[in-house]
Amino acid sequence: MSTDQPGPRARARAQTIADIKRIGREHLASQGAAALSLRAVARELGVVSSAVYRYVRSRDELLTMLVVDGYNALGDAVDAALVDAPADPATRFRVAARAVRAWALAEPAWYGLLFGTPVPGYRAPAADTVAPGVRVVAALLAIIDDAYRGDRLAPPANRSAVSARTSADFAAIRAEFGLTAPDWLIAAALAAWTGLFGAVTFDAFDMYGRDTFTDRAEVFELQVEGLLRMLGFVPGD
């Protein structure tokens, strides 16, 4: 009789891959992504390097595994934070933003692999990384679009002109994510997305300088409120 449980060989393989990725993440934190080496991973795993290649074919494949896992871990953190969040979009945006920051501060090396300096010679394969990589921005866009559909946003008095080419790009984004937001709001959402990750990056990588701000959490909250105002949320929403 067949079962859905994996056999001993499959379980052993899954455990070995999990161990390889765990050691890879530890090396990210201690040595940086550019120095990641399957030979070093094999030494720490206690096997010859050729044994590791039976599970991971190259350093780039290991990097891709870590990138995919990182995007999914960040996406899971945001999704978990939003489960019990209130329904109003402004609060949900704040909750999602705080979840991004909390994950980045807890996993600075992993965050750095996703959003820091590119690893020389490595190019993440889109087929593997795009879907997990857009999870957080998809969640943010859904929150912003929900606010627009609920008439919770005040359009700007002066809207920047959008060229036909960029408007076509925005239309593709609307179609991909199932949005109703007009061009002005897509542009604002783009600025909010990059602004959020810029603020998190400055905090996670200590780019302000250690003695510049006493309460970085409060500074981050001020930045998030600025992003909400830019998106058109009314003060106090």
Side-chain angles (χ1 to χ4, degrees), residues 169-233:
D169 292 337
F170 288 172
I173 291 171
R174 264 192 297 274
E176 179 180 358
F177 293 99
L179 307 176
T180 59
D183 281 358
W184 69 264
L185 186 53
I186 298 291
L190 173 63
W193 170 40
T194 56
L196 169 61
F197 277 87
V200 170
T201 297
F202 262 68
D203 207 351
F205 298 160
D206 199 27
M207 296 172 72
Y208 293 118
R210 292 190 178 276
D211 301 324
T212 304
F213 296 115
T214 304
D215 189 342
R216 287 191 182 178
E218 180 181 358
V219 169
F220 182 74
E221 293 294 323
L222 293 171
Q223 291 169 307
V224 171
E225 293 307 307
L227 297 177
L228 288 171
R229 288 192 297 273
M230 180 184 65
L231 287 165
F233 285 95

Side-chain angles (χ1 to χ4, degrees), residues 25 33 62 69 77 94 123 162-163 170 172 189 207 212 222 229:
R25 283 178 53 199
L62 177 55
D69 284 358
R94 295 183 185 101
R123 185 176 181 86
V162 178
S163 70
F170 288 172
M207 296 172 72
T212 304
L222 293 171
R229 288 192 297 273

Side-chain angles (χ1 to χ4, degrees), residues 98-133:
R98 291 166 189 157
V100 172
R101 177 177 183 266
W103 188 85
L105 294 181
E107 299 283 358
W110 216 359
Y111 179 86
L113 176 63
L114 304 180
F115 302 105
T117 303
V119 179
Y122 172 71
R123 185 176 181 86
D128 297 317
T129 59
V130 168

